[in-house]
Amino acid sequence: MEIGTRYEPRSIENKWYEFWEKEGFFTPKGQGDKFSIVIPPPNITGRIHMGHALNMTLQDIVVRYKRMKGYDTLWLPGEDHAGIATQNAVEKYLAETEGKKKEDFTREEFLEIVWKWAKRYRKEIADQIRALGASVDWTRERFTLDEGLNKAVRKVFVQLYKEGLIYKGKYIVNWCPRCGTVLSDEEVEHEEHQGKLYYILYPFEDGDGGIVVATTRPETMLGDTAVAVHPEDERYKDFVGKTLILPLVGRRIPVIADKYVDPSFGTGAVKITPAHDPNDFLIAQNHDLPMVNIFDDSARVNENGGKYEGLDRYEARKAVVKDLEEQGFLTKVEDYTHSIGHCYRCHEVIEPRVSDQWFVKMKPLAKKAIEAVEKGEIRFFPERWTRVYLNWMYEIRDWCISRQLWWGHRIPIWYCEECGEVIPSEEELEKCPKCGSDQVYQDPDVLDTWFSSALWPFSTMGWPEETDDLKRYYPTDLLITGFDIIFFWVARMIVMGLKFMGKKPFSHVYIHQLVRDKYGRKMSKSLGNGIDPLDVIEEYGADPMRFTLAMLAAQGRDIKLDPRFFETYRRFANKIWNATRFVLMNLDGFEEKDLEELDLSPGDEWILSRLQNVISTVTEALESYDFNIAAKAIYDFFWSEFCDWYIELAKQGLKNRRMETQNVLVHVLDRSFRLLHPFMPFLTEELWQKLPINKEKSLTIARWPDANSKFVFQESERFFNVVMGTVRGIRNVRADMDMPQSTKVRVAYTMKNDAIPRGYFEDYVKHLGNLEDLEEVERRPSRSAVAHVDDHVEVFVLLKELDFRKEAERLKGKISKLIKEKERYVKKLENPMFVSRASEDIVEETRKKLEDLSKAITRLQNLLEELEG
């Protein structure tokens, strides 16, 4: 059975995915040992990015591996409604296409538009996941805002509320004036900014001097209610308890002492603005200070700002500074670099403000989530993320779960306008259960997106109903995700799983790498350095992209992604295709046999023994999530050992040992395809289906190979290592003497012992080395070059017909050239900029080139000595 002359990924990928899905191979059967995993649901805000591609690829490698190992495997897919991100995207779309704002619609009208958006992008994302080859069970696809999850969300909220673990209260929150909503601490991205430090004199009420404070935000002084100093600061100990007059405002404010104050910052005295700074808020609670909110929802000064009312915060800053300067209160201004929080979605500068919000008390819930990790019931890979998780959990703060949005799970709290009752309810309310009034209305806010996501592992399986899926597939076995959502998502899933299921949501958490550009920079729109995985699939195919990502996925190390890598592994896909084509073209008269019944040659035994080794290596690596080690092992085996050596040997074997050679070729291909399938599912399915052997209906459900000790042949491995060393040595001499590799040469050898079979040695070396003649001698011939020496043989290439003096001069020139090239690589590796900015693979490749150059120089110097000796 033949195949086309070229690997064309587009001609096979859709075909096989449709086949797998139609046949139901991704749907578990409910029998045997189970393996389950839930997908980190992508946001419905557009195309997947390279981080998604890495995440999906690594998940799919594990899922396909476990399925082939015989596990009843469930990979549950779905999408995230992504409250703030989606609402922003839709608002932007409406502004650009219709020139309208959210406020131009009723809540119901706007939500209808967003649901249409969601339907469109859910389909697009599902199609993109299919393009990646992800073997998810589409019959169980979920959405974080679907009816079932809404039921789960309401039940969790109401139960936590009744247990006193959800409360509404005033608290300092991160407010995004652009999005018009509160953000959790984890949703705020901090960046360094070059700003100013303003020194302002606050005079004492008695007119006897004053205190100078330093601030980066002079406009917030309009809301100051105190000035604080450290209690042990000798400069100010006599001023504690005195009263100051707030400049521009005239408000009387006290001088207080608090250990929070850093005496080394500015003057050691700081203004306290409780309503607009999280640290000041905590100080105000300790000292019972009033709170003065000076900004509205748009971060414009409100009625509490006096004459500055109506100015936005930056206009107010200019006006306040101008007035302070004119009235003699501004003593100096310095340049100052400091960190400022931004909205993770729209990048607006965050405004801390006191607001009525809903919170979850996290300390009581965190206890079991901490214990589960401390006891090793949940393990992180790499292990270093354990400490990151625990440190955050030890210091966990209450979680602000309310968002001032329309898109999302609406908070299941109703208020009665007649009697003032606050009613939590899992069902829609039409009447007040206390007074019977129909004047009830639901809280307008929605829940943080991560609230519903925190329930993902069990809500997607049907909870709160006691479903068969929940009984069989919960807890899940593995979560693969990025480090940036350990706090957003991972920690909260552990908390909620233990609280509502009484069981951990997963056993293992694999934190994958961040995909950066080839210089190590984060991929971003502003830098224009992003790589679209769908474009990569279009150009190179899904399998080369998947294999590239797997090869680069070393635990604990970010990926520096050079687009050239895709071409490298596209060539690997071509190699697999061409090797298979060669085998299929040479299967005339093939009859499948049990390898144990065949008379195997040392070459056959060698490749079968190496096959057992790679099976063990790949299996062990996948069990420990060392994806790069698994990928490199099968890459090296297939390209180097199978293609470069055994297939070359098989060209001779097909002439005189056809049946044995055919069976070994087919067997190795079959096992190689099984090992490669989790990494390159489309290509391997296409080629495996062509093998004329008894097999399963699809490689997707084929059995994972086990290493077979019966096919471990250590003696044949030792023998073939001698053959390979000999042939490499002969090739090196050819290269060093500027002979084309096609040039037939005469070679002599001396055998040191009888540990290796002479007949096979001569046959293999003559064929693989492309020799004119191979002769056994008692001692080294004159006018010859040493090609190889080991414990068994010494091999010499005869050079009788060469002009030795001329060759010596040529070698000297070549050595000189290589030494200069070596110096260039040495300088490169001594350059810290190169080592720090280049990808790990490029640096490693440079080190390898340096090592190869050093070996080549030594080899040529030895050859030169032989010519001149």
Side-chain angles (χ1 to χ4, degrees), residues 54-121:
L54 173 66
N55 182 281
M56 301 280 182
T57 294
L58 299 185
Q59 288 181 85
D60 197 41
I61 288 170
V62 176
V63 167
R64 287 181 183 272
Y65 164 70
K66 290 292 186 179
R67 190 182 290 120
M68 294 175 76
K69 287 285 281 185
Y71 287 89
D72 182 44
T73 303
L74 170 63
W75 185 10
L76 196 150
E79 304 82 30
D80 196 312
H81 69 279
I84 187 171
T86 301
Q87 181 159 317
N88 274 347
V90 173
E91 286 188 56
K92 184 178 179 182
Y93 168 78
L94 290 172
E96 291 175 352
T97 58
E98 299 181 25
K100 293 184 177 180
K101 298 183 293 186
K102 172 173 67 80
E103 290 73 22
D104 295 329
F105 303 89
T106 65
R107 184 170 187 147
E108 290 71 24
E109 289 170 342
F110 182 77
L111 289 178
E112 186 177 341
I113 294 169
V114 186
W115 273 110
K116 289 178 181 177
W117 171 284
K119 183 178 180 181
R120 171 190 164 190
Y121 277 99

Side-chain angles (χ1 to χ4, degrees), residues 639-657:
W639 189 298
S640 178
E641 295 177 326
F642 182 56
C643 293
D644 289 354
W645 292 101
Y646 187 74
I647 284 185
E648 286 305 309
L649 196 64
K651 291 174 182 177
Q652 182 187 50
L654 286 166
K655 297 174 184 176
N656 49 34
R657 303 182 63 261

